[in-house]
Amino acid sequence: MVAEASEHGRLDHAGTGMAKARKHSSPIGPLASTGDMLFKYAVMAVALFTLVLVWFLVLMMLFEAGDSIAEFGGGFLIGDVWDPNREVYGALPFVFGTLLTSAMAILIGVPLSVGVAIYLSELSPPWLREPLSFLVELLAAVPSVIYGLWAMYALRPVMVDTIEPFFKTVLGWTPFFEGEPIGLDKFTAGIILAIMIIPTVASVSKEAMMAVPLSQREAALSLGATRYETTRMAVLTYARSGIFGACILGLGRAIGETMAVTMTIGNANLISWSLLDPGQTMSSLIANNWGEADGLQLSALIEIGIVLFVIALVVNVFARLIVGRFMKAVPTTGGGL
Amino acid sequence: MNNFKRRKLVNMLASGVALTCVVLAVVPLIYILIEVVRIGAPAIDWEFLTSRTKGTGEPGEGIGNAILGTLLLVGYASAIGLPIGIFTGIYVSEFGNNRFGETVRFFNDILANFPSIVIGLLAYALVVDYMDVGFSLIAGAFALAIIMIPIVANTTEEALRMVPNSLREGALALGVPRRRAVMRIMLVNAKAGVVTGSLLAVARIAGETAPLILTAFYSNYWSASPFEPIASLPQTIFRNYNSPSEVLLQQAWGAALVLITIVLAINISVRLLMRSRTKKSKAVKKTWLTRLSLRA
């Protein structure tokens, strides 16, 4: 579905067909000389280098986490205690924190991003499209640590005074809003994550929507559909797998994000469903404890890193398979982290 | 025609909602810029930019060593990451129409989206611990280089693909060896794209914080040794953001202003550069520019 969409989209753009055609027909015949062969293998060696290096480094990480893996085994994943004094370490509170804040980011960030994508791809006047896209991109260029700084001094007061009391009044009866609004909690972290995934999700969704053939829109419009109905029936339906892939990419970003979360989540190693309680994610735990950790604790932190690695790998591979060559996560990204 | 009125109303409402989403998405960016300039700007003077951090909160502190550290980290990382990234891009574009090429491409895309703190851990495991270098400039640069490689490789590949095939065919038809066709004809024509990708990669790693906590650590002193811990702007912000000392807090905002100026200046100038270039060529505008601009 996505491959199909992107193919149509590419044919719509003048000039891309050529680039695509080249990919399939190797333009250059067999290599002529030894020099060319050497060049090819040298370039190939460089390409191979990163690939091998990173897998080698993963092995090194496993080695570094050896003590912790030997000590706690599979129980590490379900252990809910992190106590350097007793030397007992478990990953559960942090896996929980990561998943909860990422879920919040998706819940808040995705509808906003899809709205942005719809505006940019379907509604925006042409002269406004480029400047607006650029602004949304710049959002990805802002370093994560500056998001954290801003959240601490600009977003937090708003959370404490307005947003959190509001949710407490309305939804205070649910387990999600127990406790006092303090501003440094999972709620604030979730909001800042939602802001940070907008550029990723919006740009990829927009690309998916722009790849929808014009004929789809024209068909809907000629049947008398309004702009909104066209978008809903022709565009969103056609682009849905691309948008889904965009969400998974956003999820990947939210899971790996470190600094902004570390600075806003309150850093408490506990499992609590209330968004108004402080928490801790896998990445924030590593960032917070790195300086003073040694021995078994260091090993356990690296094991947390491996858990994060595996989760991020699964999410990213999944996203990549869905999104296909639609987007190659490139430029401006602050990548999170 | 009640139904028609209702549909038109829904249409207008939906458009309004979409516009609201755009406004909501852009507000944080503008708010961040305003706050950073408002609070950070009063801190900036010559002394602030040229004195070192002391971490004590006494007046007379600066961020000079952090600026130097960030420049050094980015410089070393570029020295490692740019050649590897560019050659990986060349391989994938020029020799990559096979299984291995696909694997490299796939892998680079995964790596480009990878949590940078995990990349910091990887660099820690190898350079800091295994090679026993300790927390150091070189360990930080190594982590940043790994972050850089997929970005540079992907943009180089894209740029090479945008070079008209006729150029390559012409060169080969004249009997130019393939290696020279790639290096002298293709790469030169793809220069703008490669430079763009490299600059964006630099902007990206300049703001990276998490991998540096794990590898470069921090130093309050002037240092340029590759084997010593080193200060950096993002780390200065992180160490001081929660400080009870007004001076240190001010230092964090000042560092934020310098950092965001560097990062946004690169992003905006790259954008303007590409814009002026693409006015010359419609085809490029449709593909390379739009595709790039859509990706975050």
Side-chain angles (χ1 to χ4, degrees):
Chain A
M1 172 84 195
V2 174
E4 199 182 311
S6 75
E7 209 141 324
H8 284 282
R10 283 182 182 193
L11 293 180
D12 282 348
H13 296 310
T16 3
M18 198 175 66
K20 196 173 167 57
R22 172 144 97 252
K23 194 187 157 190
H24 293 303
S25 66
S26 173
I28 304 165
L31 293 165
S33 65
T34 332
D36 279 353
M37 287 303 280
L38 282 178
F39 178 71
K40 180 184 169 179
Y41 287 123
V43 177
M44 193 168 157
V46 175
L48 192 63
F49 174 76
T50 335
L51 228 147
V52 173
L53 178 76
V54 172
W55 289 111
F56 171 69
L57 293 181
V58 172
L59 284 180
M60 302 243 8
M61 251 172 94
L62 279 173
F63 175 73
E64 298 261 327
D67 287 350
S68 164
I69 294 172
E71 177 84 22
F72 305 110
F76 186 74
L77 281 177
I78 49 166
D80 59 359
V81 181
W82 186 274
D83 188 348
N85 296 325
R86 286 189 292 139
E87 298 247 297
V88 181
Y89 303 106
L92 195 62
F94 318 113
V95 177
F96 173 85
T98 296
L99 295 182
L100 188 65
T101 49
S102 303
M104 274 193 69
I106 292 293
L107 224 60
I108 304 167
V110 164
L112 270 174
S113 310
V114 173
V116 171
I118 289 178
Y119 187 82
L120 292 178
S121 130
E122 307 299 317
L123 303 171
S124 159
W127 59 270
L128 196 61
R129 182 173 294 154
E130 211 180 321
L132 272 185
S133 309
F134 183 45
L135 279 182
V136 174
E137 269 167 59
L138 277 190
L139 209 52
V142 176
S144 158
V145 68
I146 294 183
Y147 272 108
L149 187 65
W150 172 76
M152 181 87 182
Y153 293 97
L155 183 60
R156 184 188 174 192
V158 180
M159 296 298 295
V160 175
D161 296 339
T162 320
I163 300 179
E164 288 184 353
F166 171 77
F167 275 92
K168 202 170 157 51
T169 326
V170 180
L171 292 167
W173 48 273
T174 64
F176 295 110
F177 293 94
E178 279 167 5
E180 286 307 305
I182 44 170
L184 289 181
D185 48 33
K186 294 195 279 287
F187 200 12
T188 312
I191 301 251
I192 197 84
L193 276 180
I195 297 173
M196 294 181 74
I197 66 167
I198 286 176
T200 308
V201 183
S203 349
V204 183
S205 309
K206 178 182 147 199
E207 185 141 323
M209 288 178 200
M210 306 260 286
V212 175
L214 267 184
S215 57
Q216 296 278 328
R217 297 186 183 92
E218 286 162 357
L221 288 170
S222 66
L223 290 172
T226 61
R227 211 73 178 279
Y228 163 72
E229 287 159 347
T230 307
T231 306
R232 187 166 54 85
M233 293 187 298
V235 180
L236 289 184
T237 315
Y238 202 101
R240 61 174 180 251
S241 51
I243 297 172
F244 182 65
C247 300
I248 306 290
L249 273 176
L251 179 66
R253 247 199 106 172
I255 286 174
E257 170 53 40
T258 307
M259 300 319 299
V261 174
T262 306
M263 292 157 86
T264 50
I265 200 168
N267 305 314
N269 304 346
L270 50 91
I271 301 180
S272 138
W273 284 100
S274 172
L275 299 177
L276 302 182
D277 282 338
Q280 188 88 282
T281 66
M282 288 184 273
S283 49
S284 72
L285 178 80
I286 299 172
N288 269 319
N289 292 303
W290 195 255
E292 54 262 31
D294 54 7
L296 189 59
Q297 192 186 359
L298 186 63
S299 184
L301 279 180
I302 294 177
E303 194 175 351
I304 293 265
I306 294 174
V307 177
L308 181 59
F309 178 91
V310 172
I311 295 179
L313 190 68
V314 170
V315 169
N316 276 312
V317 169
F318 186 51
R320 220 27 213 74
L321 292 177
I322 296 173
V323 186
R325 282 299 273 179
F326 239 168
M327 70 146 296
K328 294 192 306 172
V330 192
T332 49
T333 323
L337 339 217
Chain B
M1 278 322 237
N2 211 358
N3 185 34
F4 181 60
K5 272 189 187 150
R6 190 184 57 80
R7 285 173 56 210
K8 282 191 82 164
L9 189 70
V10 170
N11 184 41
M12 273 181 53
L13 277 177
S15 305
V17 169
L19 185 60
T20 315
C21 288
V22 175
V23 173
L24 281 177
V26 175
V27 161
L29 175 70
I30 295 172
Y31 196 176
I32 288 173
L33 291 180
I34 292 175
E35 287 289 290
V36 169
V37 172
R38 186 177 66 86
I39 311 178
I44 307 283
D45 56 31
W46 183 247
E47 197 197 353
F48 182 73
L49 294 175
T50 52
S51 320
R52 63 175 174 87
T53 55
K54 298 187 184 73
T56 52
E58 291 159 22
E61 289 213 22
I63 54 168
N65 57 336
I67 297 176
L68 176 73
T70 287
L71 293 179
L72 285 172
L73 281 164
V74 170
Y76 276 81
S78 304
I80 308 170
L82 285 183
I84 298 180
I86 291 174
F87 278 102
T88 305
I90 291 178
Y91 176 79
V92 175
S93 160
E94 302 300 311
F95 306 100
N97 285 328
N98 51 37
R99 237 190 133 68
F100 180 65
E102 282 300 322
T103 313
V104 172
R105 198 177 279 142
F106 185 80
F107 183 80
N108 269 324
D109 284 345
I110 301 293
L111 196 59
N113 280 310
F114 226 68
S116 66
I117 192 159
V118 172
I119 292 173
L121 279 174
L122 298 176
Y124 170 86
L126 180 70
V127 183
V128 178
D129 200 54
Y130 182 72
M131 288 163 68
D132 210 15
V133 180
F135 293 115
S136 57
L137 165 57
I138 196 71
F142 181 74
L144 296 182
I146 298 182
I147 296 171
M148 224 176 168
I149 290 169
I151 305 177
V152 178
N154 283 343
T155 40
T156 302
E157 185 204 343
E158 279 296 304
L160 284 172
R161 281 188 187 287
M162 287 304 139
V163 179
N165 213 12
S166 51
L167 273 177
R168 177 185 355 216
E169 286 163 356
L172 293 170
L174 288 170
V176 178
R178 194 163 168 189
R179 57 182 184 279
R180 201 162 294 163
V182 171
M183 298 303 286
R184 292 279 175 82
I185 313 286
M186 302 301 291
L187 206 53
V188 168
N189 278 284
K191 196 172 58 190
V194 176
V195 171
T196 299
S198 308
L199 282 174
L200 289 177
V202 164
R204 155 86 194 265
I205 61 169
E208 284 293 344
T209 318
L212 296 182
I213 299 177
L214 276 50
T215 51
F217 209 62
Y218 197 80
S219 157
N220 275 323
Y221 296 94
W222 290 98
S223 163
S225 160
F227 306 109
E228 298 289 328
I230 192 159
S232 57
L233 288 170
Q235 286 262 70
T236 306
I237 302 172
F238 181 56
R239 292 172 77 88
N240 295 334
Y241 81 99
N242 214 357
S243 169
S245 150
E246 275 302 313
V247 178
L248 290 181
L249 200 54
Q250 187 71 11
Q251 195 177 46
W253 283 99
L257 179 58
V258 175
L259 181 62
I260 209 168
T261 308
I262 297 173
V263 170
L264 291 191
I266 295 177
N267 271 286
I268 292 171
S269 50
V270 160
R271 180 75 174 198
L272 293 177
L273 189 106
M274 274 172 23
R275 199 189 165 94
S276 63
R277 281 190 63 86
T278 47
K279 280 199 176 125
K280 293 176 201 151
S281 153
K282 205 79 178 168
V284 176
K285 179 168 189 176
K286 278 283 181 205
T287 56
W288 161 233
L289 174 76
T290 37
R291 290 184 54 113
L292 187 75
S293 69
L294 300 184
R295 288 184 202 137

